[in-house]
Amino acid sequence: MSTETSSLPIGVFDSGVGGLTVLRALKRALPAENFLYLGDTARLPYGTKSGATVARYALQTTRVLVDIGVKMLVVACNTASSVAMPGLAEAYPGLPCTGVIEPGAAAACACAPRGRIAVIATGGTVRGAAYQGAILRRRPEATIATRPAQLFVSLAEEGWIDGQVVTDIARRYLDPLMAEFPEGGPDCLVLGCTHFPVLAQAIQGVLPQGVCLIDSAETTARWVAEELGVRKLLRPDGDGTGTVRFFATDDPERFARVGEIFLGEPLSASDVNLVDL
């Protein structure tokens, strides 16, 4: 692969700011890489849209990134990952592409010696059964229980990541889910929404001892790093620390304000480019 191609950025998109947890993990795993991040904030949430609509949105957002120039695409949205991957592969057959579901499912299977896996996500992801399908393809004997945890999205965007209110809500969601696994609970819990990693400490605090948290942002970052290495697409370390360009389809001020929570570092509205799809 040419040096010119390996120097291109990695494209990342989500319906909004939740995918910034994936970008945060990618930056840690690949500090020399450049990134483009696009949040389709004008049309969020994707979870309430039909699969056909989300697939169309994914193609439109990807076109923006491809036109700028990227060497890999990361779909940092569980809803889009569950419905849009075939269309993206068909439209861009030469572009390496991953969503967050397959890496998360693979990690869950690897961390589940008894094949007992719990999943929390938004309602749309749970209804679409994408994690269940990805897990069962790898572990047909697995026992899987899922639960929507929509309030976690609102808590994350408000920056409410700890305290008694957060703990109480986590128990309301997770105690019934854990009860579906008698004799000690599941082997692991998949955080099946990119908003959820910022609540990981609170979630872990109400889980039975020994239940492993699967952060699909971290697992996706590891997959991307391995894939870039295999394809000889890694940017040379000698080229310096990578950069990020941010794009949003609406309200850069809110994108920056809320995005800081997920990115874990300061983000100014002046850093966010407004684009029209």
Side-chain angles (χ1 to χ4, degrees):
M1 192 63 65
S2 71
T3 302
E4 182 180 353
T5 300
S6 65
S7 296
L8 289 172
I10 298 166
V12 185
F13 84 80
D14 181 30
S15 60
V17 296
L20 290 170
T21 60
V22 179
L23 178 63
R24 183 177 183 175
L26 286 165
K27 289 179 64 182
R28 282 198 299 265
L30 296 160
E33 296 293 339
N34 296 321
F35 296 94
L36 306 178
Y37 182 94
L38 195 160
D40 190 10
T41 45
R43 302 189 295 195
L44 61 77
Y46 280 7
T48 60
K49 311 293 193 300
S50 70
T53 295
V54 171
R56 185 174 73 253
Y57 288 177
L59 285 169
Q60 292 168 347
T61 54
T62 298
R63 168 54 64 189
V64 173
L65 299 173
V66 169
D67 284 349
I68 297 171
V70 294
K71 63 183 177 183
M72 177 177 282
L73 179 70
V74 180
V75 182
C77 170
N78 282 272
T79 302
S81 295
S82 67
V83 299
M85 303 306 293
L88 292 172
E90 181 179 354
Y92 303 102
L95 180 67
C97 180
T98 184
V100 291
I101 290 175
E102 292 294 334
C109 290
C111 291
R114 298 174 297 169
R116 295 153 63 103
I117 300 170
V119 181
I120 53 173
T122 61
T125 300
V126 169
R127 287 192 301 274
Y131 275 101
Q132 295 94 309
I135 290 166
L136 291 173
R137 283 195 297 275
R138 294 169 170 84
R139 297 281 297 271
E141 83 289 0
T143 300
I144 307 167
T146 63
R147 188 171 182 85
Q150 192 67 40
L151 274 180
F152 282 163
V153 174
S154 300
L155 290 173
E157 293 199 355
E158 290 293 335
W160 294 5
I161 61 174
D162 54 25
Q164 192 60 48
V165 170
V166 178
T167 298
D168 290 345
I169 292 172
R171 288 197 180 282
R172 288 289 295 269
Y173 281 137
L174 296 172
D175 285 354
L177 183 60
M178 296 300 103
E180 296 191 40
F181 297 92
E183 302 176 6
D187 298 316
C188 61
L189 172 68
V190 179
L191 302 180
C193 172
T194 54
H195 282 68
F196 294 176
V198 299
L199 296 163
Q201 186 172 353
I203 291 169
Q204 186 78 72
V206 304
L207 293 177
Q209 187 173 3
V211 177
C212 176
L213 272 191
I214 303 297
D215 179 347
S216 56
E218 295 289 345
T219 59
T220 299
R222 289 195 294 270
W223 187 96
V224 169
E226 292 171 5
E227 189 71 7
L228 288 174
V230 168
R231 293 175 179 267
K232 302 188 186 308
L233 283 173
L234 288 166
R235 182 171 180 254
D237 289 341
D239 288 351
T241 303
T243 61
V244 183
R245 293 174 64 191
F246 297 96
F247 301 87
T249 55
D250 186 49
D251 201 350
E253 289 78 13
R254 187 178 190 280
F255 179 97
R257 184 177 68 255
V258 180
E260 287 185 350
I261 299 167
F262 297 89
L263 190 61
E265 60 186 67
L267 183 59
S268 169
S270 62
D271 298 325
V272 183
N273 301 282
L274 188 63
V275 294
D276 185 1
L277 301 181

